[in-house]
Amino acid sequence: MERIERHASFGGWQDVYQHQSDILKCAMNFSIYLPPHAKDEKLPVIYWLSGLTCNEQNFITKAGAQKYASENKVIIVAPDTSPRGDNIADDAAYDLGQGAGFYLNATQAPWSEHYQMYDYIVHELRALIDENFPSKRVQSIMGHSAGGHGALVIGLSNPDIYQSISAFSPIVAPSQVPWGQKAFKAYLGDDQLLWRRYDAVELIKSGAARKPILVDQGSADSFLEEQLKPELLSDACCEMNYPVTLNMREGYDHSYYFIASFIEAHIQFHSAELNR
């Protein structure tokens, strides 16, 4: 593991590391913000999953999260969104292949050799953070768009690992929208039962363990009606009596201007749960 960037920020350090992933079979970057802390102090961790076309840089340069991570004394880890490299399967479209791993374990060629982002996030990256940084070994997860999908699915599927879940503009029902259907068919084939394992609405309908969920969605989001459909999440939670906070934010779009406007509330939400 090699540190490739370091920036002082709000009394702590915004770092970027590169390591060789055994699960993804390629070099991977991740960013990590370390707030100011005592020498032997252990801190809770929040994982951030970014959306389509993003990498480990988008969140740390645009969200303005470091100030609030410093104030709440939480580590924030933001990995890349997919395996990358000349020998890694890719697609010309922005919503498939490199930059669009969708946080699942692919079963179909040519994707299955490298596209195992679910296992990378849940197992390999988490172990790397816990072993090499001042982690308290308690964590929550959040994300944006396709990363919001990833945060919901990973959090709901691993309630023993993640204390709370939040998302900005998430793809809540990928089985029912074009982005998700395209990715699922390519990565997972035609097995609809397998699709459900990576669909937050289906997981809630199947009786997922209850964890606190916070979702923010902009009313002026250009992807709202076709790709995001937050009402499907709201309906599923209502049907299953699953507690969720869904905030519709008037006038906000899909951008990091939206995320930066409400990231403080998300960090405070997770910090409260992580420190219970």
Side-chain angles (χ1 to χ4, degrees), residues 111-124:
W111 312 103
S112 55
E113 182 178 359
H114 297 283
Y115 284 74
Q116 305 292 313
M117 286 296 294
Y118 180 98
D119 279 353
Y120 173 71
I121 299 296
V122 176
H123 302 297
E124 186 175 19

Side-chain angles (χ1 to χ4, degrees), residues 33 35-36 41 43-44 46 65-75 263-272 274-275:
Y33 178 73
E41 187 177 8
L43 304 173
I46 304 174
Q66 291 89 349
K67 179 179 187 291
Y68 309 116
S70 176
E71 291 173 353
N72 288 275
K73 297 192 76 170
V74 294
I75 295 169
I263 191 65
E264 179 182 12
H266 282 242
I267 291 172
Q268 289 175 342
F269 163 74
H270 290 299
S271 180
L274 288 164
N275 289 299

Side-chain angles (χ1 to χ4, degrees), residues 148-157 165 170-177 184 192-193 195-209 213 215 227-242 244 246:
H149 140 74
L152 287 168
V153 167
I154 288 173
L156 288 167
S157 300
I165 308 162
I171 307 170
V172 301
S175 300
Q176 301 184 50
V177 300
F184 283 9
Q192 298 287 322
L193 290 177
W195 288 24
R196 292 177 188 173
R197 288 174 50 187
Y198 300 105
D199 187 306
V201 165
E202 294 298 330
L203 289 171
I204 287 172
K205 287 182 177 180
S206 69
I213 297 178
V215 175
Q227 304 282 12
L228 306 179
K229 298 183 180 293
E231 68 277 4
L232 297 178
L233 178 68
S234 180
D235 291 346
C237 289
C238 183
E239 177 185 337
M240 300 302 295
N241 196 29
Y242 192 112
V244 63
L246 172 58

Side-chain angles (χ1 to χ4, degrees), residues 19-70:
H19 75 108
Q20 188 66 30
S21 167
D22 293 333
I23 287 177
L24 303 180
K25 302 177 184 176
C26 67
M28 287 292 287
N29 290 354
F30 67 88
S31 66
I32 180 167
Y33 178 73
L34 299 167
H37 61 282
K39 181 179 178 181
D40 297 321
E41 187 177 8
K42 302 297 184 182
L43 304 173
V45 183
I46 304 174
Y47 288 86
W48 169 272
L49 306 183
S50 292
L52 299 174
T53 76
C54 294
N55 57 30
E56 79 288 345
Q57 293 289 327
N58 300 73
F59 178 75
I60 63 175
T61 58
K62 296 180 179 180
Q66 291 89 349
K67 179 179 187 291
Y68 309 116
S70 176

Side-chain angles (χ1 to χ4, degrees), residues 126-252:
R126 185 166 59 91
L128 191 72
I129 299 303
D130 286 347
E131 291 166 9
N132 292 280
F133 298 96
S135 165
K136 197 176 178 181
R137 296 177 184 260
V138 292
Q139 51 275 311
S140 292
I141 192 163
M142 61 181 178
H144 171 233
S145 193
H149 140 74
L152 287 168
V153 167
I154 288 173
L156 288 167
S157 300
N158 299 276
D160 55 327
I161 296 175
Y162 302 96
Q163 303 304 307
S164 51
I165 308 162
S166 77
F168 292 86
S169 317
I171 307 170
V172 301
S175 300
Q176 301 184 50
V177 300
W179 273 341
Q181 291 167 345
K182 177 180 179 178
F184 283 9
K185 187 170 181 60
Y187 294 140
L188 304 173
D190 295 322
D191 185 351
Q192 298 287 322
L193 290 177
L194 185 54
W195 288 24
R196 292 177 188 173
R197 288 174 50 187
Y198 300 105
D199 187 306
V201 165
E202 294 298 330
L203 289 171
I204 287 172
K205 287 182 177 180
S206 69
R210 284 162 164 75
K211 285 289 179 176
I213 297 178
L214 169 64
V215 175
D216 274 287
Q217 173 63 61
S219 67
D221 192 319
S222 59
F223 303 112
L224 179 60
E225 293 184 6
E226 183 181 23
Q227 304 282 12
L228 306 179
K229 298 183 180 293
E231 68 277 4
L232 297 178
L233 178 68
S234 180
D235 291 346
C237 289
C238 183
E239 177 185 337
M240 300 302 295
N241 196 29
Y242 192 112
V244 63
T245 300
L246 172 58
N247 298 314
M248 291 299 298
R249 302 296 189 178
E250 187 66 30
Y252 285 89

Side-chain angles (χ1 to χ4, degrees), residues 2-16:
E2 177 188 4
R3 190 173 68 207
I4 57 177
E5 287 186 37
R6 165 155 277 200
H7 309 282
S9 182
F10 292 96
W13 297 101
Q14 179 62 68
D15 294 341
V16 178

